[in-house]
Amino acid sequence: MSSIFGRNFKVSIFGESHGKAVGVVLDGLPSGIRLNMEFIEQEMARRRPGKSPLSTLRSESDSFEILSGYFNEATTGTPLCAVIFNSDCASDDYAPMKSLLRPGHVDYTGFVKYGGFNDYRGGGHFSGRLTAPLVFAGAVAKQALQMDNILVGSHVKSICHAEDESFDSANIDENTLKELRNLAIPVLNRDAGEKMAQCILDAKNDRDSVGGVIETAVLNLQPGLGSPFFDSMESCLAHILFSIPAVKGVEFGEGFNITKMRGSKANDAFIIDENKIKTATNYNGGILGGITNGMPVVFRVAIKPTPSIGIQQQTVDFLKNQEATISVKGRHDPCIVPRAVPVIEAAAAIVILDLILERYGEAWTNWKN
Ligand SMILES: Cc1cc2nc3c(=O)[nH]c(=O)nc-3n(C[C@H](O)[C@H](O)[C@H](O)COP(=O)(O)O)c2cc1C
């Protein structure tokens, strides 16, 4: 089941980086969701490789074909399958590395798990390429959520040591979230964005890579989504977020920083605002007891530096069973963070839709049309 996520809205991804295609099957999607194809294309374009010197030069159009579950411009309620064909695979780049384990990558663990039958080209099924179908799924989920005015958006909080401001987590403006979508490196402070771009280019020049942090917010969520303990909003989000390649940390609200506050500050005081119960601050990231409290759900995700780098590193040649060195060739992202932004948002949208369907059932969309 490792390639299937969700209980009510089930997302199944398939394919390999250098195989014929990658794709997704969406099961449990309610009928009657009108899909704007332009919006899905825009979401795919936000993740698409090969569009700037800040990303890999692998050039994929990421155009998709919907094979089922969609009729007369709306979802039918039956499984929706979409395929994204691979077109720009330079598999020869991987031939010399067939037996050389890339430090930080899955070559060793993938080989051990699948006994050498894994398609190692371009990272195979472990590749960041598998996040294209995830973004497709997220773009569909986002459109379902839009019917209830729910909005997911993100900014890059940091790349290496270049830092952006944080969201004002109790007062996040819808327009700010929407405008961030149009930036190559979505930041609240444009100067920070320039510093981040420079960090990426410097690492690239050094044949090295950098990582960073993405901060995401989900707005206009009703209180009451999620369950205590094992299906808490935090555990469901963390599950899918940690499934994304290169994610090494997830924190909600103030996260690890909340340990430095006293309770009198960390407790978000309840207030009444326009006849609604809200909290004056949002240090708990919109979640209490695993259940949304109606404030923005805010979380941060740590992305590690891209493992495939040109700098020479120590490794092992597992066919010869001897130590060796490796300098990774091929086309790689010097920093995964900018391309991961829509992936993180997609993951969040998938979980939110899953938990909405858990609470209200598929009939949830009937009264929205
Ligand atoms: C959008 C995206 C793009 C990625 N691009 C690359 C890349 O160009 N080169 C690379 O070595 N890893 C890339 N990765 C990361 C690897 O897939 C990942 O580090 C590897 O599978 C090991 O998994 P882990 O880092 O989660 O342990 C990318 C990940 C994502 C989400």
Side-chain angles (χ1 to χ4, degrees), residues 16-19 48-51 55-60 86-90 122 127 129 331-332:
E16 283 82 25
S17 178
H18 289 193
R48 190 164 61 81
K51 56 183 196 292
S55 81
T56 165
L57 295 176
R58 176 172 178 175
S59 176
E60 292 283 359
N86 296 326
S87 58
D88 187 16
C89 311
S127 166
R129 177 105 190 104
R331 302 163 299 173
H332 295 279

Side-chain angles (χ1 to χ4, degrees), residues 193-216:
E194 281 170 29
K195 285 187 191 137
M196 289 175 188
Q198 197 53 53
C199 281
I200 298 175
L201 293 174
D202 289 348
K204 186 178 175 181
N205 282 340
D206 296 342
R207 299 192 301 150
D208 214 332
S209 64
V210 281
V213 174
I214 296 169
E215 187 175 50
T216 300

Side-chain angles (χ1 to χ4, degrees), residues 41 44-45 48-49 59-64 84-85 87 129:
E41 279 161 17
M44 300 296 282
R48 190 164 61 81
S59 176
E60 292 283 359
S61 70
D62 275 3
S63 51
F64 54 85
I84 303 149
F85 290 100
S87 58
R129 177 105 190 104

Side-chain angles (χ1 to χ4, degrees), residues 271-278:
I271 56 169
I272 296 204
D273 182 20
E274 294 175 0
N275 226 13
K276 276 192 185 156
I277 296 182
K278 290 191 177 174

Side-chain angles (χ1 to χ4, degrees), residues 47 56 94 102 104-106 123 126-129 131 242-248 303-309 331-334 336 339-340 343:
R47 195 215 70 96
T56 165
Y94 290 84
R102 279 175 294 169
H105 218 295
V106 297
F126 295 94
S127 166
R129 177 105 190 104
T131 59
F242 274 120
S243 313
I244 298 169
V247 168
K248 284 293 170 192
I303 311 265
K304 76 182 192 182
T306 316
S308 301
I309 51 173
R331 302 163 299 173
H332 295 279
D333 291 300
I336 294 163
R339 292 186 57 216
V343 182

